[in-house]
Amino acid sequence: MRYSAKLVKQVFKVIQMKKLVGIAMVTPPKRRKINIRQLENSDIPQKRSQISGRELITLFPPHVTKKHVLYLHGGGYALEASPFHKQIQERFVRRFNLKVSYFDYPLAPEATAEKTLSATKAAFYYLRHLYPDDEIYLFGDSAGGGLAVSLAQHLRDEGTLRRPQKLALASPWLDVSVSDPRSDELEAKDVLLEKDLLMQAGATYAGNLAVDNPLVSPIYGTFQNLGELFVISGTAEILYPDVLRLKEKVARVKGTTLNLVIVPDMMHDFVVYPLKESLPYVDEMGEFFATD
């Protein structure tokens, strides 16, 4: 079942969802591996592996394909993937005939940016070893979007051959310090994120690194030669100004293109939630990966 964004936003305001989410990111609840357990029960053929002690699950579409998405979920680098993430993974597989690998990357506070990025890079290399003919792309929402960009920048800087040439990002968290002053003006509109608690979660994830280190906050990195970026953001979220900063940076470099879709009045990470308005944008991302 899908709900209207207007209704969901009203409910989130009443239950003070932004406070609940913020506290959970700062002090995460017990790990329950819901997404992993649900994938175990999926009827989609899959292969399961362990990378740095974390699950890597590849879902296979009905027809042979070389198009392969490494899926990095959001959650402030501290929360596990949800059933909503599973729904998108399965839709990519069934509707767009994409191979999709979900990586349960290390989370804060048990892990910080250096360990998380290292493990995610290892997952990418492992997939490339297993499927040497595949074109491996990156998808990330919220924190997963920030991780996807940091990984792409890191692989480029290492001179990695056959690195991802397509990145789709939904409401990416590109600056864990939330430093853009325009975010202050949007905080009252954002029904999911509270700035102070988000900054605390970002500082925890940074660990011993500075919050403006590109390994933590990729907006401070360089954006040349990253391939094709497809980014979706709502205007009613405090992270919206950072995608505008991304647009400015990409406009000044070569080797990177950006298709930025701005959706008026939409909340943070709306693409992931089961909203009536979100499905067309999920499908735009699937089409982005599926099309040559």
Side-chain angles (χ1 to χ4, degrees), residues 98-244:
L98 296 166
K99 199 178 295 177
V100 176
S101 288
Y102 161 67
F103 182 49
D104 182 37
Y105 59 82
L107 299 171
E110 299 94 330
T112 57
E114 289 180 286
K115 180 178 179 180
T116 298
L117 182 60
S118 176
T120 307
K121 182 174 71 170
F124 168 78
Y125 278 123
Y126 182 76
L127 291 174
R128 203 180 64 173
H129 170 74
L130 280 184
Y131 311 102
D133 296 328
D134 285 4
E135 288 292 336
I136 299 177
Y137 307 134
L138 302 179
F139 171 87
D141 68 280
S142 194
L147 179 58
V149 178
S150 289
L151 175 62
Q153 291 172 336
H154 190 58
L155 293 172
R156 178 206 57 201
D157 293 345
E158 285 192 335
T160 301
L161 298 176
R162 299 184 63 245
R163 61 183 183 271
Q165 292 301 308
K166 287 187 179 184
L167 284 75
L169 313 172
S171 299
W173 192 15
L174 302 172
D175 179 1
V176 302
S177 66
V178 198
S179 64
D180 194 303
R182 292 173 291 185
S183 65
D184 295 330
E185 303 168 9
L186 292 167
E187 186 163 17
K189 294 182 179 181
D190 196 318
V191 297
L192 266 176
L193 300 178
E194 184 169 307
K195 186 171 181 176
D196 288 346
L197 291 171
L198 188 63
M199 291 170 61
Q200 288 183 48
T204 299
Y205 174 67
N208 294 324
L209 299 176
V211 291
D212 61 356
N213 187 308
L215 299 181
V216 179
S217 299
I219 196 67
Y220 297 104
T222 57
F223 286 87
Q224 68 273 14
N225 299 320
L226 292 182
E228 299 178 59
L229 307 184
F230 180 48
V231 180
I232 297 177
S233 173
T235 61
E237 56 172 310
I238 61 176
L239 302 186
Y240 169 52
D242 291 336
V243 302
L244 301 180

